[in-house]
Amino acid sequence: MRILGIESSCDETAASVVENGTQILSSVVASQLGTHGKYGGVVPELASREHLRAIVPVVREALTQAATKLEDLSAVAVTEGPGLVGSLLVGMTYAKSLCFAVNLPLIGVNHLEGHIHAVVLEARQEGTGVAYPALALVASGGHTHLFEVQPGFHYRLLGKTRDDAAGEAYDKVAKLLGFGYPGGPVIDGLVPYGNPRAVRFTLAKMKGNVLDFSFSGLKTAVLRWVEARDLSREIEARRNLLRATPQPTTEQWLAVTAPATLDLLASFQRTVILELLGRAAAAAESIQARSLIISGGVACNAGLRAAAREAALPYPVYFPTPGLSTDNAAMIAAAAFPKLESGAFDDMSLTARANLVLA
Ligand code: KG4
Ligand code: ZN
């Protein structure tokens, strides 16, 4: 059974064909980095316009690479939300039109469930599967959520960010210091060159639900650190580099970054990792989880992966391969597979929902 997945919730237009929820026959991702990079974040109007331009060629390419005709498909899965409503609408409208034209079942997928299924898909490929109950940490540019995952894909929300998402904190710190967008990969690449214990940041103390996250205090602490110094020449040098080279290498960034700033970045990342892993481990313990799933764009982070390994947790920790960590459509097709098996289809009243919750 082949499912065509379509994802357009933020700044990636993606389509993929996945067979039996396991085999990725194609996964095409058209990134809009070139469009939003210079603004230091995603501009919603520009994102919708880019999706409109990309959706037809991206879907066509995904079908071609998978050597799949529309009539070979069992269903079309599309991201229903959460995300930018104008962006979601492009994928949604296209998926509905396709289903209507060729009489295929339509399956709406929650984007966060997709991120979790990036791991489920790969565990299925390995033939092992994920042991349940699992604790899932979804950390991306828009979300930082902890879910309990029970067999049959039943979810319970255990905690989430009260302000910025983890990826958003990376992006804002990067913007403040003149390192383009998205900030996560740039900072991650520079961290090995700094001392992670040089700047002392305090961990957030949560009143009420201790499994919630908060990154605004850390962001403000970074801002205070920057304001206390004159970094204007350094920041200007980075902005100039970014104007001359759209995606500078770590070596190029190193040439325009002072040792104290490298120490700041390493200390910032160490704090984010402590927040993420600390709360994920506490949540896992609270539900006696048999595995930990870490997904979403921030799951690409090399420091986070190393820290999870070194923590030697008493259950397996799963990360998706980097290509499946950031937004893609294979995870959407994979999440739709159990729904296809159980006949949980949607009809033409399905609509894009910017604030859709998973649990
Ligand atoms: O999942 P994703 O592609 O899109 C959303 O659903 O938001 O995640 C993008 C986010 C961005 O905030 C980006 O800075 C962050 O993931 N990110 C990283 C890394 N790679 C991407 N954050 C930390 N370290 C990375 N290596
Ligand atoms: Zn995402």
Side-chain angles (χ1 to χ4, degrees):
M1 286 194 282
R2 293 183 182 183
I3 300 182
L4 169 68
I6 296 178
E7 152 67 36
S8 69
S9 64
C10 190
D11 58 344
E12 256 100 30
T13 322
S16 163
V17 179
V18 176
E19 190 161 57
N20 297 329
T22 311
Q23 223 196 327
I24 302 176
L25 302 183
S26 65
S27 181
V28 179
V29 181
S31 167
Q32 304 178 0
L33 279 188
T35 304
H36 305 288
K38 51 184 171 291
Y39 300 104
V42 177
V43 185
E45 288 79 1
L46 295 181
S48 316
R49 210 178 303 163
E50 293 277 316
H51 284 304
L52 271 177
R53 236 193 299 259
I55 189 84
V56 174
V58 164
V59 170
R60 194 172 293 157
E61 182 64 22
L63 290 169
T64 305
Q65 281 186 18
T68 300
K69 297 196 199 65
L70 285 174
E71 51 267 34
D72 302 331
L73 294 171
S74 301
V76 177
V78 65
T79 305
E80 187 184 347
L84 301 169
V85 74
S87 294
L88 287 164
L89 271 172
V90 177
M92 176 62 68
T93 311
Y94 190 77
K96 280 162 77 172
S97 319
L98 210 56
C99 288
F100 184 69
V102 289
N103 199 22
L104 278 169
L106 174 70
I107 302 174
V109 173
N110 183 301
H111 182 79
L112 300 187
E113 183 169 26
H115 275 303
I116 293 170
H117 275 263
V119 165
V120 175
L121 177 152
E122 291 191 304
R124 237 188 246 130
Q125 279 174 353
E126 308 265 299
T128 53
V130 172
Y132 300 101
L135 188 283
L137 164 65
V138 182
S140 68
H143 320 279
T144 307
H145 285 54
L146 291 170
F147 295 104
E148 176 183 18
V149 189
Q150 287 286 357
F153 303 112
H154 297 291
Y155 304 95
R156 186 161 66 100
L157 179 67
L158 299 174
K160 64 175 181 177
T161 183
R162 294 190 191 164
D163 38 64
D164 293 342
E168 193 179 359
Y170 271 96
D171 297 336
K172 286 180 176 171
V173 164
K175 186 176 182 182
L176 174 72
L177 288 161
F179 293 100
Y181 169 86
V186 178
I187 294 177
D188 195 15
L190 291 172
V191 161
Y193 301 92
N195 173 6
R197 293 174 191 276
V199 186
R200 294 273 164 188
F201 292 118
T202 46
L203 295 177
K205 287 193 189 56
M206 305 311 293
K207 291 207 180 83
N209 184 3
V210 293
L211 297 180
D212 277 348
F213 297 90
S214 169
F215 293 100
S216 68
L218 176 59
K219 188 183 65 185
T220 308
V222 171
L223 178 65
R224 296 277 171 274
W225 187 94
V226 172
E227 282 172 349
R229 289 158 181 80
D230 181 13
L231 300 185
S232 51
R233 284 180 56 195
E234 193 184 328
I235 292 174
E236 194 47 37
R238 284 194 285 269
R239 294 206 172 121
N240 286 336
L241 170 62
L242 209 51
R243 274 190 282 270
T245 327
Q247 275 180 301
T249 62
T250 295
E251 282 63 36
Q252 287 173 308
W253 284 125
L254 279 171
V256 286
T257 305
T261 305
L262 293 171
D263 288 347
L264 169 83
L265 295 178
S267 305
F268 162 79
Q269 174 154 305
R270 174 172 180 267
T271 311
V272 175
I273 292 171
L274 286 173
E275 293 281 2
L276 291 176
L277 274 189
R279 283 181 225 277
E285 200 181 326
S286 79
I287 61 159
Q288 298 187 328
R290 295 180 58 217
S291 56
L292 172 58
I293 291 171
I294 303 183
S295 62
V298 179
C300 290
N301 191 271
L304 178 62
R305 287 174 186 243
R309 253 193 326 270
E310 282 155 20
L313 295 164
Y315 37 74
V317 184
Y318 297 100
F319 286 90
T321 51
L324 286 180
S325 298
T326 48
D327 287 348
N328 65 88
M331 68 185 196
I332 302 301
F337 182 64
K339 300 181 202 292
L340 173 66
E341 283 187 309
S342 65
F345 301 128
D346 289 288
D347 59 27
M348 290 294 152
S349 65
L350 187 71
T351 184
R353 291 198 280 161
N355 300 314
L356 183 67
V357 294
L358 179 58

